[in-house]
Amino acid sequence: MAISLAALLAVHSLQLKKSGLAETTWHQDIHWVAVTEQEDPQRFLNGGELVLTTGMRLRSAPEQRRFVRQVQRAGAVGIGFGVGLTHDAVPPALIAEANRWGLPVVEVPYETPFIAIGKLVADAQSADHYSKLERLIAGHQVLARALLTGGGLAELLKHLGGMLRTEIVLTQFTAQLFNSGTDAPTADTWASYPIPTGRRDACTLWAKQPFEDSGIVGYAQNLISVELNNMVKQRQAQRALCGQVLEDVIHGTLEPSEASRRLAGIGVNSTRKNVVLLAVSPAHHKQLASTSVPRPLENAVAAVAGKDLMVVINDDGGSAAALARNLSDHLAEAGIHATIGIGGAYTKPNGLRWSYFEARDAAGHGLPVNEPERLSLTSLLLASEDVPLADMANECLDPLRTFDRTHGAELMTTLESYLNNNGSVAAVAEDLTLHRNTVRYRLAQITEMTGYDPSVTADRVQLWLALAVYRLGTRRPG
């Protein structure tokens, strides 16, 4: 380790003597040795040096006092004064000024070359550096072994906290992925280290101050970054695999026994009541495939169904809504704006399928978290792979959308208002601030362009279904 002034004095071969009275500063470590005969060496010092001089230019008391002040201002740990060449003893004025400023003074005999002191300090520094390097390499091995032998990220962070002798927290935005203590990190009492992942799920490593970092934190940052990226890849692969099974169940292409067997293979027990949470985000659907889920949902089965994130949880007495809010908040913190739909709780593969369509229907309501409601006729039809509902909707409504774009008309708005107001022309006129004759003219245009008359019940149902499918966006899995 680095050598102190007291330890240097204890080396008998150097024959050094204490001249100053600054008793409290003799245990400071010497960072380096600086030999100088300058009257003002301050600009050549960085602090922490033992300044060696023979006082060749320090003839008068004012010069000697000024020299001490310059050395003290530079942050030196002491002065080693060589006697027997220019001065037979350490000048009293220099000792008095050093005592005034609490700066240690060491008398160096003529027989002791300055280079011997410099070599001793350099050897101590080298040994200290080598010892720190050995400890750092050993720390690297401990962290890598913790990660690679199955302990994972939690084991790595636990060892890191032990090395730093402090609490460690790993956060993803405002969510905590790991906390070795109970306190939440704050910028004033914790040191923060960003973890580069190249992805949106930015993480931060926090260490509670005070602690001493020998360089191990930088290595830990790299290991954590690699592990987080590996976790993302594993998450994507796992969700793709689960998605294949769940899509087969949703499509109804499997026999019940085969569906139960394959669901069990991905961790879904179809003999219990299961609830589907569906996260829908047209703007950020790519991020849904790889983003993490909040800690309460870590053990749930997560999958990518089409462009949506599907999470299957066991019904444990009404916690689905709370978990859905938790998921919504977690995604929002990650910059993913999503709507969450909640399905009902059912057993068996068909029940899971039913819960999915309830969740998808609920997500279409557009709130951050949407409770399940009575499943609509549209959703029931969407559950069938054999009904070309999207094609029907496009065929029916495309002429109206094209006309509206070309002429700046509002036939789609008029049709929707007419259906929502149960076919009341007066209510549509009031709703859209139009004359009744204008509403009737637009309805006639709709009939002519689509071939469906909104005033006829059968045609009205057809138009209502087309609009409902259009609003839902017909997001089929796969």
Side-chain angles (χ1 to χ4, degrees), residues 250 275-281 288 303-312 324 327 331 338-343 355-364 367-370 475 477:
I250 292 167
V275 173
V276 170
L277 305 181
L278 198 67
V280 179
S281 178
L288 288 176
V304 176
K307 295 182 178 180
D308 306 330
L309 176 63
M310 179 177 175
V311 182
V312 181
L327 177 60
L331 294 178
T339 57
I340 311 298
I342 307 172
S355 183
Y356 167 80
F357 283 107
E358 284 189 338
R360 195 170 81 173
D361 189 54
L367 298 175
V369 176
N370 302 272
R475 298 181 311 276

Side-chain angles (χ1 to χ4, degrees), residues 403-427:
F403 187 85
D404 284 349
R405 284 196 303 269
T406 304
H407 301 282
E410 294 183 338
L411 296 185
M412 286 284 290
T413 303
T414 304
L415 174 61
E416 189 165 5
S417 178
Y418 183 78
L419 296 175
N420 289 338
N421 286 290
N422 300 314
S424 171
V425 172

